Amino acid sequence: MDALARLSSAEIAAVTTLVDAATAADGVRPLNDEAVLGLRRPGETHWLLSLEEGVVGYAQYSPVFGSGQLLVHPAHRRRGHGRALLDAVLDAGASGVWAFGNLPGARALAAASGLREVRGLLIMERPLTTADAHPVAAPPGVVLRPYRDSDAEDLLAVNAAAFEHHPEQGSFSLADLAARQAEPWWDPAGLIVAEGVVPGEASGMLGFHWTKRHDAATGEVYVIGVHPRAHGRGLGTVLLDAGLAHLAASGCERVILYVESDNPAVRLYERTGFAVTHTDVLYARP
C-alpha cells in the first residue's frame, strides 16, 4: 500500500463508491467536505487499500491541516485494514485522525493504537417550521443581502478575522471559495452578507451566514462569521435567524450545524432549539 500524490478519475470514483457504502452502513459520512475536495486537490497524500473485490479502504493526509481521515468498507472491517491505514497516516506526519460520529469501531481502533481524544466537534440539529421563515430585524445601520461576486475579498477578510485561531476555517482562501462555488449545492442567495457602519470606521462587511442545502429537506448552518469589530451588536443571532429563514423559505424541514464543543456559540444554538445529535472526535497520540 503505497502513498499516492494524486488519484486518477477511476480511483476517485472508487473512493466515492466506498464513501457511499460506509455512509449507508453507518449513517455518518466518513469524510468531511475538505477531504472530499481533497480527492482532486494537489497537496494531499492518499492511500488505497485494494483487494480482488476492488478498493476496500482509503486514507488521506492533509499537510495543510495536519490531520488525516480514513475509512474501510463495512464488509471488510475487523481484519486489520483500519490499523494499516491509520499507521500509514500517522507515519506520514499527521498529528491526529478524525472519527466522524465517533462510532464504536473508531473508538476501539483509537484505544488499541494508543490515541486519545484531543478535540470534539458537535453536530447539532433542529426542525424548521413556517415560523422560521420570518427572521428578526437587523440592527439599525445594518443591511442583510445575498452574496455578490465582488464580495469575495471582503468575505475572506471577515472570515480570517472571525476565525483567526481556528485550525481549519481560519486559513480559508480564495481557492477554497472557488472550489465550493463549483459544487452543485452552491447558491449565492444562501450566503447572506451583513454590511453596515462601525462607529469611527467606514461602511463595510460586518459578518455573513453561509447556508448549505444537502437535499430537499435538509439545510445546514455552514458558516457564521462576525468580524470582531462588530461584536456586541447581536449580529450573530440576526445572521442565524436570517439563514434559518432562507432555508425554511426554500422548503427545508430540518437544519444541522457543526460547532466546536468548547465554542461559546453552543449556548446560542441551544437557546434557539438546536440539540446535539452526535460528536466528531479528533484522536491523537499523547
Side-chain angles (χ1 to χ4, degrees):
M1 186 175 61
D2 297 325
L4 304 172
R6 287 182 178 272
L7 296 178
S8 67
S9 296
E11 289 168 336
I12 292 173
V15 173
T16 301
T17 299
L18 178 62
V19 168
D20 291 342
T23 303
D26 301 330
V28 180
R29 194 169 70 159
L31 300 181
N32 64 12
D33 282 350
E34 284 295 344
V36 171
L37 292 171
L39 295 174
R40 297 174 172 82
R41 181 174 55 210
E44 316 302 307
T45 303
H46 314 268
W47 292 265
L48 296 173
L49 200 159
S50 301
L51 301 177
E52 291 183 1
E53 299 91 326
V55 175
V56 300
Y58 169 74
Q60 180 185 124
Y61 167 52
S62 171
V64 173
F65 303 127
S67 59
Q69 301 178 36
L70 63 92
L71 69 149
V72 175
H73 192 285
H76 294 271
R77 293 172 179 170
R78 298 180 181 174
R79 303 180 187 180
H81 301 323
R83 181 61 183 266
L85 290 165
L86 176 61
D87 288 344
V89 170
L90 294 176
D91 289 345
S95 60
V97 178
W98 281 101
F100 298 109
N102 202 23
L103 302 173
R107 295 198 299 269
L109 176 60
S113 304
L115 306 183
R116 61 181 177 87
E117 296 184 19
V118 296
R119 184 178 165 198
L121 188 65
L122 306 180
I123 292 78
M124 306 182 75
E125 178 182 330
R126 58 159 283 193
L128 286 172
T129 67
T130 54
D132 290 307
H134 306 286
V136 301
V142 176
V143 175
L144 302 180
R145 61 167 176 80
Y147 172 86
R148 298 190 290 251
D149 288 341
S150 58
D151 292 324
E153 294 296 338
D154 289 338
L155 180 76
L156 294 178
V158 171
N159 181 85
F163 298 100
E164 181 180 5
H165 302 294
H166 192 282
E168 290 95 22
Q169 189 65 29
S171 62
F172 194 80
S173 67
L174 192 60
D176 295 321
L177 175 60
R180 282 154 181 77
Q181 289 175 320
E183 290 292 297
W185 55 265
W186 162 250
D187 175 16
L191 176 44
I192 301 164
V193 168
E195 61 181 8
V197 178
V198 174
E201 299 186 22
S203 177
M205 188 182 298
L206 305 177
F208 63 91
H209 182 174
W210 194 346
T211 66
K212 176 181 178 180
R213 291 193 68 177
H214 291 257
D215 52 47
T218 306
E220 180 183 339
V221 176
Y222 193 50
V223 187
I224 295 180
V226 176
H227 198 290
R229 66 182 182 177
H231 285 177
R233 304 175 66 178
L235 199 54
T237 300
V238 170
L239 284 166
L240 173 61
D241 288 343
L244 296 181
H246 171 77
L247 293 172
S250 301
C252 290
E253 299 171 0
R254 59 188 284 266
V255 59
I256 64 172
L257 61 83
Y258 295 77
V259 61
E260 299 284 341
S261 58
D262 59 355
N263 190 327
V266 171
R267 293 191 294 274
L268 165 64
Y269 297 135
E270 289 175 335
R271 289 198 304 270
T272 52
F274 284 89
V276 176
T277 56
H278 70 270
T279 304
D280 296 337
V281 171
L282 182 68
Y283 284 100
R285 287 171 172 153

